[in-house]
Amino acid sequence: MEAKLTYLMDRQEIYDVVVRYCRGCDRLDRDMVMSAYHPDAMDDHGSFVGPPDAFWDWVKNLHGQYQSATQHMIGNHHVEIDGETAHCETYLSYSAMNTTGAPFSSIGGRYIDRMEKREGKWAIAHRKYIVDWVAPSINTIEGSKTPEGAPNFDCIAPHEFAVAETGQQASRDTSDPSYERPLVVDPARVERYDRLTREAQDAAS
């Protein structure tokens, strides 16, 4: 009974981490978002790859400048707990009212997390954000596509698109990132994101 109670408490605390992260993003609450991560965590968010403090700067600019409202709605939540490590898959429905480009964005994806319990606190150690689909509603106004026909998110810089295109993709088999054990953000992607960001900043200056 004690083992079952511990499992249920851990599972609830892990779920609360994801809920807290989503609420923090929608309310632009830095402390709430940061509380979902361990300080040395890594997040591969597709067009961003790096630690929590840099991620907050990126997401605040994205949601604060380019969207007037956002909703991160979570659904199916699968957790495998092994002592003080857990691997989680949480389904996500993301919607946003955009201030530029297409007026509305709708994305279906998943948060793939490796969480760790340190000093009694569960938080994200490694995260991969996987996009399963993007609704065509993002392309509802003229100019919301690039000349090549790709979605034109004014909020995503070209070098960030380049990083996202080389990230892990969803797969309908066991090669999907949700099966990766242990889940680890590739250090080469962190380095590539940093390098391309520096090059873009140098070119703009």
Side-chain angles (χ1 to χ4, degrees), residues 2 9 11 24 29 47 49 54 62-63 71-72 77 80 85 94 152 170-172 184 189 196 200:
E2 183 178 349
M9 291 177 64
R11 184 179 176 86
D29 186 328
S47 51
V49 190
L62 172 67
H63 295 328
Q71 279 196 344
H72 294 71
H77 181 64
E80 297 173 9
T85 300
Y94 167 74
N152 179 19
S171 177
R172 301 176 72 183
V184 177
R189 282 186 52 73
L196 292 179

Side-chain angles (χ1 to χ4, degrees), residues 27-47:
R27 302 281 68 81
L28 297 179
D29 186 328
R30 182 186 189 278
D31 291 342
M32 193 174 294
V33 171
M34 296 296 286
S35 74
Y37 294 89
H38 287 300
D40 61 348
M42 281 293 166
D43 192 326
D44 187 337
H45 228 76
S47 51

Side-chain angles (χ1 to χ4, degrees), residues 21-193:
Y21 164 85
C22 291
R23 183 172 181 233
C25 285
D26 290 336
R27 302 281 68 81
L28 297 179
D29 186 328
R30 182 186 189 278
D31 291 342
M32 193 174 294
V33 171
M34 296 296 286
S35 74
Y37 294 89
H38 287 300
D40 61 348
M42 281 293 166
D43 192 326
D44 187 337
H45 228 76
S47 51
F48 167 90
V49 190
D53 53 349
F55 173 71
W56 166 252
D57 292 338
W58 181 83
V59 80
K60 182 184 180 183
N61 180 66
L62 172 67
H63 295 328
Q65 180 175 349
Y66 293 99
Q67 279 101 38
S68 59
T70 62
Q71 279 196 344
H72 294 71
M73 303 288 289
I74 57 176
N76 298 0
H77 181 64
H78 175 77
V79 182
E80 297 173 9
I81 303 174
D82 182 10
E84 296 188 337
T85 300
H87 284 84
C88 323
E89 176 189 48
T90 308
Y91 280 53
L92 165 74
S93 177
Y94 167 74
S95 302
M97 301 302 297
N98 300 318
T99 57
T100 64
F104 178 70
S105 295
S106 179
I107 299 173
R110 289 168 291 147
Y111 296 129
I112 312 298
D113 294 321
R114 187 181 96 211
M115 294 201 195
E116 295 178 359
K117 189 177 186 180
R118 304 179 188 173
E119 299 180 351
K121 175 190 174 182
W122 284 102
I124 299 164
H126 286 259
R127 163 171 280 189
K128 293 183 180 180
Y129 169 52
I130 303 299
V131 174
D132 289 307
W133 53 261
V134 178
S137 58
I138 61 169
N139 297 322
T140 53
I141 62 171
E142 185 177 357
S144 63
K145 288 187 178 182
T146 67
E148 295 75 25
N152 179 19
F153 297 95
D154 293 343
C155 55
I156 304 296
H159 76 277
E160 293 173 337
F161 265 125
V163 174
E165 289 173 351
T166 60
Q168 281 188 278
Q169 304 299 313
S171 177
R172 301 176 72 183
D173 55 31
T174 56
S175 66
D176 185 79
S178 61
Y179 289 88
E180 184 181 341
R181 300 290 184 276
L183 183 81
V184 177
V185 172
D186 184 357
R189 282 186 52 73
V190 179
E191 188 281 329
R192 184 166 189 262
Y193 176 81

